[in-house]
Amino acid sequence: LAPSLAGPATRQALALAGRRSALATLVSLAPMAALAFDNGLPEMEKYKDRPKQRGPKPADIGLKARLLNADGDEALGSVKTCAATPNCFTTTGDRDISTAPPGESGHLLPTWLPPKGATAAAAMSELESVVKAYKPGQAGIDGGGFEIVTSSDTYLYAQFASLRQGYVDDVEFAPVADYANSPAVQVRSASRLGYLDYAVNAMRLNYISKELRAKGWTSPEITTKTHPEYFGYNLPKPRA
């Protein structure tokens, strides 16, 4: 039926169908979201057709009030706590063993201390430069590259991807709420999927913390002595 011979209702239906068809064409022509980051290893090409396991971005990352225990204690303006799975590190949690959730000590890190006299802005700027210089593939991890998603004087958020399966981990840094009186930086690195991480989060943070220690920071290494429970589950084996 020619549009010129159709009634108003038919013409409206034809127009709607045309818009839907055009939209479908545009969607089909739109580039698919990248399954890896631009700075990943060249070997990514060998795994480009393998389904990626990125996992959804956590809805509650960022700086918020965090509940620390069943007693209702909170930490304001803090990065997220860790779940019970041994694939996460954070500086946010209950450090009182009498009230802390089971396994809390396996996730907790001390805050990282910048050089004396460094402002929060200067500390975050230096931290950003170290993250930008991160080498994908170091220690056999993060071969899929990384991307800094958000960076400011008060918060840095980056995503890191594995080489073959494209697993994505979320990494965050932020000055503590009371930085003016107690200069320190919060840290969090966590896997989105799975139970174990084969020490990937530890190796990533250890690389970054080592670079910062060379610049005068106090950023302790994660070891079998500091976190025996975590390493009891995770052997340092690159995750596919």
Side-chain angles (χ1 to χ4, degrees), residues 103-126:
E104 185 85 321
S105 61
H107 305 293
L108 278 176
L109 298 176
T111 51
W112 291 0
L113 309 180
K116 186 176 180 180
T119 64
M124 293 300 292
S125 177
E126 187 163 60

Side-chain angles (χ1 to χ4, degrees), residues 139-225:
I141 68 170
D142 298 329
F146 70 94
E147 178 180 58
I148 295 178
V149 180
T150 302
S151 182
S152 70
D153 291 350
T154 56
Y155 183 67
L156 188 153
Y157 167 50
Q159 298 173 352
F160 291 76
S162 66
L163 177 63
R164 293 187 287 277
Q165 301 287 13
Y167 291 111
V168 172
D169 294 346
D170 299 291
V171 179
E172 303 170 89
F173 302 97
V176 297
D178 193 28
Y179 186 95
N181 294 317
S182 301
V185 172
Q186 304 177 65
V187 180
R188 186 176 189 271
S189 182
S191 301
R192 294 182 180 181
L193 300 176
Y195 184 78
L196 305 178
D197 70 357
Y198 301 105
V200 167
N201 285 289
M203 289 188 282
R204 178 186 305 118
L205 290 181
N206 280 345
Y207 182 95
I208 295 172
S209 66
K210 181 180 179 181
E211 296 298 309
L212 289 173
R213 288 196 298 274
K215 298 178 180 295
W217 286 58
T218 301
S219 45
E221 182 181 9
I222 301 167
T223 69
T224 55
K225 290 184 177 180

Side-chain angles (χ1 to χ4, degrees), residues 27-107:
V27 169
S28 66
L29 294 176
M32 293 182 64
L35 296 179
F37 300 116
D38 292 340
N39 53 10
L41 299 179
E43 291 91 323
M44 288 192 305
E45 182 66 18
K46 294 189 295 186
Y47 308 105
K48 65 180 181 180
D49 295 326
R50 181 176 294 190
K52 305 304 178 188
Q53 307 294 326
R54 295 177 65 89
K57 176 184 174 182
D60 57 346
I61 59 174
L63 302 181
K64 300 180 180 182
R66 305 293 181 180
L67 186 65
L68 301 182
N69 53 44
D71 291 345
D73 295 328
E74 282 189 328
L76 303 179
S78 298
V79 295
K80 189 179 176 182
T81 57
C82 287
T85 50
N87 58 8
C88 172
F89 288 103
T90 182
T91 51
T92 301
D94 190 352
R95 300 179 188 275
D96 184 344
I97 60 174
S98 66
T99 56
E104 185 85 321
S105 61
H107 305 293

